[in-house]
Amino acid sequence: METSTEEKLRHLLKNKKILGIAAVILLIVGSILGYVHYRHTPKYTLSLIQDAVKSHDWETFSRHVDMDMLTSSTYDQVADYFFSNDQDLQDSPFARNLVQGMVISLKPSVVESM
């Protein structure tokens, strides 16, 4: 009877070791997958951009920020604000069309120079 109890105890300890090893492996795999997932979140990217700005690291900043699109969008927003708030341009369609044409034609060179 004692040998049967010893065998059960050994079997139980063997199962505990296997379960312990499996738990450690699952923990490691879960940690790796969690880190890989975190690296693809906006929060991670924003923290990289913030660190790049603080350290004046242009390469990292430009890797994560589309400067051409940002400059182009800002140019459009400034032009829209200018056209919607300038009373002289709103009163004169000819002047408005002339200035809009100039602003549109200058956009590529302004965006490129920025």
Side-chain angles (χ1 to χ4, degrees):
M1 187 96 172
E2 208 172 298
T3 58
S4 175
T5 306
E6 286 178 12
E7 285 179 24
K8 287 181 183 179
L9 187 60
R10 279 191 207 136
H11 185 65
L12 183 63
L13 289 174
K14 184 178 180 183
N15 285 342
K16 282 186 178 182
K17 284 182 183 179
I18 291 172
L19 286 174
I21 292 171
V24 169
I25 290 172
L26 283 174
L27 184 65
I28 291 170
V29 170
S31 297
I32 291 170
L33 290 176
Y35 179 71
V36 169
H37 171 71
Y38 173 69
R39 287 191 48 156
H40 290 87
T41 62
K43 182 177 181 180
Y44 178 75
T45 304
L46 288 173
S47 69
L48 288 177
I49 292 169
Q50 183 180 18
D51 292 341
V53 169
K54 285 180 182 176
S55 64
H56 305 287
D57 183 2
W58 175 251
E59 289 181 33
T60 302
F61 181 81
S62 62
R63 216 176 319 138
H64 296 287
V65 176
D66 185 358
M67 288 303 296
D68 292 335
M69 183 58 115
L70 182 63
T71 306
S72 176
S73 174
T74 302
Y75 185 89
D76 292 339
Q77 290 175 9
V78 169
D80 288 343
Y81 178 79
F82 175 72
F83 287 119
S84 65
N85 290 320
D86 191 314
Q87 193 60 41
D88 292 333
L89 290 177
Q90 290 179 0
D91 293 341
S92 173
F94 175 74
R96 181 180 179 86
N97 290 337
L98 180 65
V99 173
Q100 277 183 327
M102 289 189 319
V103 167
I104 290 170
S105 66
L106 288 174
K107 181 180 177 180
S109 61
V110 170
V111 168
E112 183 180 328
S113 68
M114 296 246 167

